[in-house]
Amino acid sequence: MVALGAGLLLGACSKDYLDISSTRYISKSDIDEISKTSPHLKDGTLNGLYAYNMLAFGGGTTGHDDFGQKGYDIYTDMLSGDMNLNSAIYGWYRGVVDFSDMQNYAANPNFKPWRFYYFMIRSTNQIITNLAGADGKKVPESDKDKAVVAEAKALRAYMYYNLVNMYTLGYDANEKILPIYTQAVDYNTPSKHTQEVYALMIDDLTESLALYEAAGRNVTGQRKAVDYNVAQAILAYVYASKGTTDALTEAARLSAEVMTKYPLASKDVLLKGFNKVNDNPNWMWSGVIDLQTNLDLVSWWGQVDIYTYSYAAVGDTKGISKELYDAIPANDVRKAQFKEGPEFDDINGDSEDYGELSILPVGKFFASDGKILMGARIVQSDYVYMRVEEMYLLNAEVNARLSNDGAAKASLKKLMEIRLDDVAYIDGLSGSALLDEILLQTRIELWGEGKTYAAIKRNKKEFKYGSNHLYFPTNVIPYDDARLTFKVPQAEILNNPVYNN
């Protein structure tokens, strides 16, 4: 197996120390500086936040698994059991998949997401306060400023939504879980009840939609931004996570509306590599990456794609659970998104042996440079944050939970008839069997996209680890197993004396 270059190898294997100075919150000058490093992201602090979400070390460490939202997508995908770490040569993710870090509140995987999301929350608070007053309720005069506040409020809710998914078991109205910050203050606040966090997310997203409507709806008009449709989708996820009957009804309504806005991916698109937004009309929100973004091995592509020069390519591959792969019918187009090992070839005829455990996503995710082993040295492939297929699956799920089996089956069939020649089997499903099928298709469809962990937890299901899992083959683990939920980090407990008040 080819090793990484000496300088990179040393960086990867050095101890992942916390950068104590970086626990300060992001400032406006920080965001402006981020924007300056990317000439195509110069037009405001919101764009600086989007840039920050793709850059390395946003969680306050030097870890090569620390690169914004897509980094935490890998954490949750691995905990779901559907994404396997097939080898632990370089050490990244070992402590997550063997649970040693998950049980240690001082470990970095618990610190990084917490630091990153609160870092981003403070930044959105600065934008909201500047344009909408100290309480965030003032409606700006210009349509442009209305849209900026709408976007910032949707982003703030999205950050809290991720914290809820990762650091709690789900909606428990009276459990105290997360500190709430709605202003960029310099003092600590105590943890708040779950119902208060959900109320903030729902208020933020509802106000975001109202501001977008007042400004002319999709003012951003770019898939690199959280526009009106994405705000609706995030609100649908929040309601689905809350899980009460009225919340599920709202999630069904919102997801159904978003479904009308984008085309579903064709069979051809599903096998194009998920690498550039122009080739993916079904994408709703993406991170647009080019040479100026300056991403290399410390990236989602570097950790997952064997055609990008980084950790996956040199041995630490990330693949699908064998049992989940086996559950994909042979005539399902998504079967071709994966390939069983050990040998993997590229378009030049070169090959690498990645081991018997490896079933890799070489037909789903591959660098826009082409299928050349270790060929992409600088990442130019986009990040997908959200696509319309999620809304079809969410709509099916929440309708099934509401016992609206007809609506659930209709949404699922629209998705599946592109993937399978015959979807008549869906007509015979009902109740728990229908919901189980929807969740299975969610796991298959959204493999590697950071969505499965939240789906399993909001439905209070079990995490089923594949027989090719590196540490816990064939284990079935309940959603409320403490090893699968992130710990409030030691840094928060030590530096926030009022956390438990």
Side-chain angles (χ1 to χ4, degrees), residues 227-473:
D227 64 11
Y228 183 88
N229 300 329
V230 175
Q232 279 189 310
I234 297 170
L235 183 54
Y237 272 128
V238 171
Y239 277 131
S241 176
K242 186 175 181 181
T244 58
T245 299
D246 58 338
L248 292 174
T249 301
E250 279 299 290
R253 179 186 68 82
L254 288 160
S255 55
E257 185 170 334
V258 177
M259 285 159 54
T260 68
K261 306 291 183 62
Y262 305 86
L264 283 164
S266 65
K267 289 185 178 181
D268 182 54
V269 166
L270 289 170
L271 299 176
K272 275 194 170 181
F274 283 60
N275 49 46
K276 275 294 176 191
V277 71
N278 291 335
D279 295 330
N280 298 284
N282 56 316
W283 284 17
M284 298 170 59
W285 177 23
S286 67
V288 180
I289 298 172
D290 57 26
L291 284 172
Q292 295 171 321
T293 314
N294 196 30
L295 289 186
D296 47 41
L297 82 163
V298 187
S299 64
W300 183 92
W301 285 99
Q303 289 287 4
V304 175
D305 176 38
I306 62 172
Y307 304 114
T308 298
Y309 175 69
S310 190
Y311 294 101
V314 298
D316 282 4
T317 55
K318 287 80 179 174
I320 190 172
S321 153
K322 176 171 174 49
E323 281 64 30
L324 185 59
Y325 175 75
D326 289 344
I328 307 173
N331 62 343
D332 187 325
V333 66
R334 296 170 301 179
K335 194 79 169 184
Q337 291 181 334
F338 303 92
K339 180 183 181 298
E340 293 186 87
E343 289 290 330
F344 292 84
D345 303 323
D346 69 9
I347 59 175
N348 293 328
D350 295 324
S351 66
E352 282 286 346
D353 185 332
Y354 288 116
E356 296 291 341
L357 295 179
S358 299
I359 309 173
L360 303 186
V362 293
K364 180 174 184 178
F365 301 116
F366 50 87
S368 52
D369 303 60
K371 290 188 176 183
I372 303 171
L373 288 165
M374 292 184 267
R377 298 301 173 111
I378 301 296
V379 173
Q380 298 182 70
S381 302
D382 296 339
Y383 283 160
V384 57
Y385 296 128
M386 185 180 291
R387 56 187 177 102
V388 74
E389 285 78 7
E390 298 174 35
M391 292 296 102
Y392 280 81
L393 289 161
L394 185 67
N395 184 268
E397 174 198 317
V398 295
N399 274 306
R401 291 165 68 183
L402 288 166
S403 298
N404 297 333
D405 286 2
K409 287 188 276 192
S411 294
L412 183 61
K413 286 173 73 173
K414 285 180 182 177
L415 180 87
M416 291 302 296
E417 63 191 12
I418 297 173
R419 289 142 182 80
L420 285 172
D421 295 332
D422 184 1
V423 297
Y425 79 96
I426 294 173
D427 292 327
L429 300 174
S430 62
S432 60
L434 175 59
L435 181 57
D436 286 346
E437 176 65 16
I438 292 165
L439 293 177
L440 172 63
Q441 296 307 327
T442 298
R443 292 169 60 205
I444 294 169
E445 180 69 25
L446 301 177
W447 186 93
E449 298 178 53
K451 311 296 180 180
T452 296
Y453 179 84
I456 294 174
K457 287 180 78 172
R458 68 175 173 257
N459 286 281
K460 297 178 169 52
K461 297 291 185 177
E462 297 172 329
F463 293 86
K464 300 177 181 179
Y465 283 28
S467 56
N468 57 337
H469 194 274
L470 193 58
Y471 294 101
F472 300 102

Side-chain angles (χ1 to χ4, degrees), residues 68-337:
Q69 179 61 48
K70 297 304 291 183
Y72 312 130
D73 285 351
I74 294 178
Y75 280 177
T76 59
D77 277 338
M78 287 186 167
L79 289 173
S80 78
D82 288 349
M83 177 183 279
N84 292 339
L85 176 66
N86 297 316
S87 173
I89 301 168
Y90 296 94
W92 305 119
Y93 306 104
R94 181 192 291 127
V96 173
V97 295
D98 72 6
F99 297 150
S100 58
D101 282 347
M102 298 304 299
Q103 298 176 84
N104 177 9
Y105 82 137
N108 277 348
N110 293 303
F111 169 79
K112 294 171 194 175
W114 185 277
R115 190 264 187 183
F116 172 80
Y117 290 123
Y118 276 109
F119 198 80
M120 297 286 274
I121 286 166
R122 182 176 176 93
S123 307
T124 58
N125 286 341
Q126 290 174 324
I127 294 166
I128 294 166
T129 300
N130 286 342
L131 294 176
D135 63 357
K137 301 298 183 181
K138 175 185 172 184
V139 177
E141 292 184 6
S142 75
D143 287 348
K144 179 180 178 182
D145 286 348
K146 288 186 184 77
V148 169
V149 175
E151 201 171 342
K153 286 193 172 187
L155 277 167
R156 182 168 70 184
Y158 177 73
M159 302 306 160
Y160 277 112
Y161 170 72
N162 282 286
L163 285 165
V164 166
N165 282 332
M166 297 176 73
Y167 290 89
T168 80
L169 290 176
Y171 188 78
D172 180 349
N174 295 314
E175 181 188 9
K176 295 184 77 171
I177 51 172
L178 303 171
I180 290 177
Y181 296 92
T182 57
Q183 298 180 30
V185 295
D186 293 326
Y187 53 83
N188 298 116
T189 65
S191 57
K192 300 295 184 183
H193 293 103
T194 303
Q195 59 188 338
E196 296 176 83
V197 180
Y198 274 80
L200 173 63
M201 291 189 289
I202 292 168
D203 285 348
D204 268 355
L205 290 161
T206 302
E207 291 168 9
S208 172
L209 294 175
L211 285 165
Y212 268 132
E213 289 167 0
R217 284 209 167 193
N218 293 332
V219 178
T220 59
Q222 304 173 57
R223 289 177 181 162
K224 72 178 183 181
V226 172
D227 64 11
Y228 183 88
N229 300 329
V230 175
Q232 279 189 310
I234 297 170
L235 183 54
Y237 272 128
V238 171
Y239 277 131
S241 176
K242 186 175 181 181
T244 58
T245 299
D246 58 338
L248 292 174
T249 301
E250 279 299 290
R253 179 186 68 82
L254 288 160
S255 55
E257 185 170 334
V258 177
M259 285 159 54
T260 68
K261 306 291 183 62
Y262 305 86
L264 283 164
S266 65
K267 289 185 178 181
D268 182 54
V269 166
L270 289 170
L271 299 176
K272 275 194 170 181
F274 283 60
N275 49 46
K276 275 294 176 191
V277 71
N278 291 335
D279 295 330
N280 298 284
N282 56 316
W283 284 17
M284 298 170 59
W285 177 23
S286 67
V288 180
I289 298 172
D290 57 26
L291 284 172
Q292 295 171 321
T293 314
N294 196 30
L295 289 186
D296 47 41
L297 82 163
V298 187
S299 64
W300 183 92
W301 285 99
Q303 289 287 4
V304 175
D305 176 38
I306 62 172
Y307 304 114
T308 298
Y309 175 69
S310 190
Y311 294 101
V314 298
D316 282 4
T317 55
K318 287 80 179 174
I320 190 172
S321 153
K322 176 171 174 49
E323 281 64 30
L324 185 59
Y325 175 75
D326 289 344
I328 307 173
N331 62 343
D332 187 325
V333 66
R334 296 170 301 179
K335 194 79 169 184
Q337 291 181 334

